[in-house]
Amino acid sequence: MSAIRVVSVGLGPIGVSVAKQLVERPAFTIVGAVDIDPLKRDLDLGDLIGVTPSRALKRGSARRLGVKVGADAPTIIKATKPDVVVLCTSSSIKGVMPQLETILRTRTPIVSTTEELSYPGYTHPRQARQIDAWARKARVAVLSTGVNPGFAMDALPIALTAVCERVDHISVQRVQDARIRRLPFQQKIGAGLTTKQFQRRVEDGSVRHVGLTESIAMIADAVGWNLSRITDDIQPKLATVTISGEFLAVDPGYVCGIVQDGIGYHGRTPVITLHMEAYLGAPESYDAVQIEGHPNLSMKIAGGIHGDVATASIVVNSISKVLGAAPGLHTMRDLPLPSYFGGSLTSGS
Amino acid sequence: MSAIRVVSVGLGPIGVSVAKQLVERPAFTIVGAVDIDPLKRDLDLGDLIGVTPSRALKRGSARRLGVKVGADAPTIIKATKPDVVVLCTSSSIKGVMPQLETILRTRTPIVSTTEELSYPGYTHPRQARQIDAWARKARVAVLSTGVNPGFAMDALPIALTAVCERVDHISVQRVQDARIRRLPFQQKIGAGLTTKQFQRRVEDGSVRHVGLTESIAMIADAVGWNLSRITDDIQPKLATVTISGEFLAVDPGYVCGIVQDGIGYHGRTPVITLHMEAYLGAPESYDAVQIEGHPNLSMKIAGGIHGDVATASIVVNSISKVLGAAPGLHTMRDLPLPSYFGGSLTSGS
């Protein structure tokens, strides 16, 4: 089987993490890379992502992948004719619309990390229909995924309902010690801000986890519930002692992270409750799901699912599913069972 | 949306449990029922399964469903033209081949509980190809599922690998206190036998959990591993004190259940290890998955997933996926994300 040829668009922390995995797994070859940052322009991708792929070594080049970072996605895509584009540029569906349109004009399937695109039918129905139409016209599939939204607070609890005779309530908790996460994530959760600064950032939308509403909508559709409304509430978590991480130190009284609650209501009854805590110094990271119904189910992943690694992984692992899917906009709900893909036991370990 | 019309074939404990759920969920109507047992012949299905459906009540009949248990599946199917047949007759793929052929001649999709059919490509490749050919010719989909095989020791651990960058080893444990299970299950695990009787029953194949090899093959294919061999070892669990359940009491020294280990090897290295304990008096029931790789993952469902309820549930929940699937033989690996289906929040609770 020949390797799947990929163009990476967007080389921020997640895009770099995805590109590293693509380089290291035998099933893939990166044939092009794109970023808008002029400082990254014309760099060799291997230098940018800091990997020494065995295949590059074999070609006698220590780190060079032979892929230069370009500025214009359609030019690179037309020149390299990849099997798929991985798009890691923005959380905002409106932000990626022009990129999606341009890429889909080249008739290339897309796997994206855009949180709002993970399940856009509820929050952005017009954009969802438009993207679906572009994808169908191009006869290719589009998916947005990640660990959250995309897995921990939607696909995983949905899968657990499959063994239930009756489901009355679904709750999910994701608690993460943000000290192990990258700096942009720590900034996204407001670490180091005053309460007042935090509130301003919440109001302008720069401090928040994007995806709770999308996850709730996905769960509700999966189990066949008509929700009356979905709420998404953000609160600061304040440090009570000085917390020091690799990138930041936070003094007592300052914000060390975020507590976010998404609730889906059936009438006035909360039937889906998603609770997220991400802050520097959380004593225990974990993911947990409780399903009330028959039978009741209580699942816990001790230590949690690491956000950055897991998002890059599920993007890479989903590529083969997207290549096998019917044309159109897909979500984790309608694609085949998620699974690892593209490594090998001998070379991987 | 009009209800999905179902014929239930096989009315042992699991078939009855499935039929009960079908009667109680608004999305389904049972239009026919079949069992080979002459004692069940011509009984009203409502009397046999012991339910008082609200819809039957509305028709002024306390328990009668108006569905008599018949003896011949094709006759009933031709008379009622169901959307799907639920087949709960045997663990053995060879045992159900004639039934599958007959039902598929009527061009009706099938959801089955036949353990060996859950992932038959490794253990029964010839039968798998034959069933796939029959299903494609009939232009309908066929699936076999259940909690195990079908979910706890295959689909669920497979889904968890989706967040991994690298997978080196997958282990799954399923420990169940068999006191809460039905009598045929307790007999299937050898409860009450002497060690010698147990060994004879293991040798003649009547004492064993069917499905570990199928689950291992499904996991290996999902993550792309070529296994060198799969082993399946059965040991008795002996009572150390007298254990009393609803159906059976077991004295010290007698068998109270089963310990079964399935191992998938890559070369000489065990890379998939499934460990099952099902015995009267197990102190804690649980399902657990550990994935070694990057990141490591450790998941536990405290209290476990109840076997009988969960198998009936996942069969009923999978019906809509099978109706939406392409013609051919499917497995839980290639169908869309498993999920609850067919109840409603108001009527269900």
Side-chain angles (χ1 to χ4, degrees), chain A residues 199-214:
Chain A
Q199 287 307 347
R200 265 205 305 271
R201 298 271 180 97
V202 169
E203 280 154 29
D204 75 19
S206 62
V207 160
R208 63 166 182 148
H209 163 75
V210 181
L212 289 191
T213 303
E214 285 75 8

mmCIF file of all heavy atoms in Angstrom, chain A residues 199-214:
data_model
loop_
_atom_site.group_PDB
_atom_site.id
_atom_site.type_symbol
_atom_site.label_atom_id
_atom_site.label_comp_id
_atom_site.label_asym_id
_atom_site.label_seq_id
_atom_site.Cartn_x
_atom_site.Cartn_y
_atom_site.Cartn_z
ATOM 1 N N GLN A 199 -12.714 38.185 32.876
ATOM 2 C CA GLN A 199 -14.086 38.452 32.426
ATOM 3 C C GLN A 199 -14.090 39.165 31.074
ATOM 4 O O GLN A 199 -14.910 38.851 30.211
ATOM 5 C CB GLN A 199 -14.855 39.287 33.464
ATOM 6 C CG GLN A 199 -15.260 38.517 34.728
ATOM 7 C CD GLN A 199 -16.028 37.218 34.456
ATOM 8 O OE1 GLN A 199 -16.482 36.951 33.352
ATOM 9 N NE2 GLN A 199 -16.141 36.371 35.477
ATOM 10 N N ARG A 200 -13.164 40.126 30.898
ATOM 11 C CA ARG A 200 -13.097 40.826 29.605
ATOM 12 C C ARG A 200 -12.767 39.855 28.481
ATOM 13 O O ARG A 200 -13.363 39.906 27.410
ATOM 14 C CB ARG A 200 -12.039 41.940 29.663
ATOM 15 C CG ARG A 200 -12.610 43.314 30.005
ATOM 16 C CD ARG A 200 -11.720 44.443 29.468
ATOM 17 N NE ARG A 200 -10.341 44.332 29.923
ATOM 18 C CZ ARG A 200 -9.879 44.877 31.063
ATOM 19 N NH1 ARG A 200 -10.688 45.570 31.835
ATOM 20 N NH2 ARG A 200 -8.629 44.720 31.410
ATOM 21 N N ARG A 201 -11.825 38.951 28.762
ATOM 22 C CA ARG A 201 -11.431 37.976 27.726
ATOM 23 C C ARG A 201 -12.574 37.000 27.434
ATOM 24 O O ARG A 201 -12.719 36.525 26.323
ATOM 25 C CB ARG A 201 -10.203 37.179 28.188
ATOM 26 C CG ARG A 201 -8.960 38.016 28.419
ATOM 27 C CD ARG A 201 -8.138 38.156 27.150
ATOM 28 N NE ARG A 201 -6.950 38.960 27.413
ATOM 29 C CZ ARG A 201 -5.744 38.442 27.689
ATOM 30 N NH1 ARG A 201 -5.579 37.139 27.704
ATOM 31 N NH2 ARG A 201 -4.726 39.233 27.931
ATOM 32 N N VAL A 202 -13.352 36.686 28.467
ATOM 33 C CA VAL A 202 -14.515 35.821 28.231
ATOM 34 C C VAL A 202 -15.504 36.556 27.332
ATOM 35 O O VAL A 202 -16.041 35.992 26.375
ATOM 36 C CB VAL A 202 -15.181 35.415 29.564
ATOM 37 C CG1 VAL A 202 -16.543 34.754 29.315
ATOM 38 C CG2 VAL A 202 -14.272 34.460 30.343
ATOM 39 N N GLU A 203 -15.704 37.854 27.646
ATOM 40 C CA GLU A 203 -16.660 38.640 26.851
ATOM 41 C C GLU A 203 -16.216 38.790 25.400
ATOM 42 O O GLU A 203 -17.043 38.730 24.495
ATOM 43 C CB GLU A 203 -16.880 40.022 27.500
ATOM 44 C CG GLU A 203 -17.864 39.952 28.670
ATOM 45 C CD GLU A 203 -17.630 41.059 29.692
ATOM 46 O OE1 GLU A 203 -17.147 42.141 29.297
ATOM 47 O OE2 GLU A 203 -17.929 40.825 30.893
ATOM 48 N N ASP A 204 -14.902 38.977 25.174
ATOM 49 C CA ASP A 204 -14.464 39.122 23.771
ATOM 50 C C ASP A 204 -14.205 37.761 23.118
ATOM 51 O O ASP A 204 -13.810 37.683 21.956
ATOM 52 C CB ASP A 204 -13.249 40.070 23.662
ATOM 53 C CG ASP A 204 -11.935 39.445 24.138
ATOM 54 O OD1 ASP A 204 -11.840 38.206 24.213
ATOM 55 O OD2 ASP A 204 -10.991 40.203 24.436
ATOM 56 N N GLY A 205 -14.434 36.689 23.865
ATOM 57 C CA GLY A 205 -14.374 35.359 23.268
ATOM 58 C C GLY A 205 -12.977 34.768 23.186
ATOM 59 O O GLY A 205 -12.796 33.675 22.643
ATOM 60 N N SER A 206 -11.962 35.466 23.741
ATOM 61 C CA SER A 206 -10.604 34.932 23.597
ATOM 62 C C SER A 206 -10.259 33.934 24.699
ATOM 63 O O SER A 206 -9.322 33.154 24.558
ATOM 64 C CB SER A 206 -9.580 36.069 23.542
ATOM 65 O OG SER A 206 -9.595 36.818 24.737
ATOM 66 N N VAL A 207 -10.983 33.962 25.817
ATOM 67 C CA VAL A 207 -10.799 32.929 26.829
ATOM 68 C C VAL A 207 -12.039 32.037 26.858
ATOM 69 O O VAL A 207 -13.111 32.461 27.279
ATOM 70 C CB VAL A 207 -10.551 33.533 28.234
ATOM 71 C CG1 VAL A 207 -10.847 32.508 29.325
ATOM 72 C CG2 VAL A 207 -9.110 34.001 28.361
ATOM 73 N N ARG A 208 -11.922 30.847 26.338
ATOM 74 C CA ARG A 208 -12.994 29.856 26.434
ATOM 75 C C ARG A 208 -12.527 28.571 25.770
ATOM 76 O O ARG A 208 -11.670 28.579 24.887
ATOM 77 C CB ARG A 208 -14.287 30.336 25.759
ATOM 78 C CG ARG A 208 -14.156 30.561 24.263
ATOM 79 C CD ARG A 208 -15.531 30.705 23.597
ATOM 80 N NE ARG A 208 -15.391 30.881 22.160
ATOM 81 C CZ ARG A 208 -16.272 30.449 21.263
ATOM 82 N NH1 ARG A 208 -17.371 29.828 21.657
ATOM 83 N NH2 ARG A 208 -16.059 30.627 19.974
ATOM 84 N N HIS A 209 -13.109 27.473 26.216
ATOM 85 C CA HIS A 209 -12.990 26.242 25.458
ATOM 86 C C HIS A 209 -14.108 26.244 24.433
ATOM 87 O O HIS A 209 -15.282 26.417 24.779
ATOM 88 C CB HIS A 209 -13.124 25.024 26.378
ATOM 89 C CG HIS A 209 -13.423 23.767 25.608
ATOM 90 N ND1 HIS A 209 -12.471 23.103 24.871
ATOM 91 C CD2 HIS A 209 -14.573 23.083 25.432
ATOM 92 C CE1 HIS A 209 -13.016 22.064 24.289
ATOM 93 N NE2 HIS A 209 -14.292 22.014 24.611
ATOM 94 N N VAL A 210 -13.762 26.049 23.172
ATOM 95 C CA VAL A 210 -14.763 26.010 22.113
ATOM 96 C C VAL A 210 -15.193 24.563 21.893
ATOM 97 O O VAL A 210 -14.344 23.707 21.655
ATOM 98 C CB VAL A 210 -14.190 26.579 20.794
ATOM 99 C CG1 VAL A 210 -15.254 26.555 19.704
ATOM 100 C CG2 VAL A 210 -13.668 27.986 21.014
ATOM 101 N N GLY A 211 -16.487 24.300 22.019
ATOM 102 C CA GLY A 211 -16.930 22.952 21.667
ATOM 103 C C GLY A 211 -17.994 22.339 22.546
ATOM 104 O O GLY A 211 -18.585 21.329 22.160
ATOM 105 N N LEU A 212 -18.255 22.904 23.725
ATOM 106 C CA LEU A 212 -19.248 22.261 24.590
ATOM 107 C C LEU A 212 -20.619 22.198 23.916
ATOM 108 O O LEU A 212 -21.295 21.172 23.963
ATOM 109 C CB LEU A 212 -19.358 22.980 25.939
ATOM 110 C CG LEU A 212 -18.173 22.834 26.891
ATOM 111 C CD1 LEU A 212 -18.544 23.375 28.270
ATOM 112 C CD2 LEU A 212 -17.719 21.384 27.010
ATOM 113 N N THR A 213 -21.029 23.298 23.276
ATOM 114 C CA THR A 213 -22.334 23.304 22.614
ATOM 115 C C THR A 213 -22.362 22.285 21.482
ATOM 116 O O THR A 213 -23.348 21.549 21.315
ATOM 117 C CB THR A 213 -22.646 24.717 22.075
ATOM 118 O OG1 THR A 213 -22.594 25.630 23.172
ATOM 119 C CG2 THR A 213 -24.020 24.775 21.445
ATOM 120 N N GLU A 214 -21.271 22.210 20.716
ATOM 121 C CA GLU A 214 -21.185 21.239 19.627
ATOM 122 C C GLU A 214 -21.281 19.806 20.181
ATOM 123 O O GLU A 214 -21.982 18.962 19.628
ATOM 124 C CB GLU A 214 -19.870 21.419 18.855
ATOM 125 C CG GLU A 214 -19.825 22.642 17.932
ATOM 126 C CD GLU A 214 -19.650 23.979 18.646
ATOM 127 O OE1 GLU A 214 -19.402 24.002 19.868
ATOM 128 O OE2 GLU A 214 -19.754 25.023 17.967
#
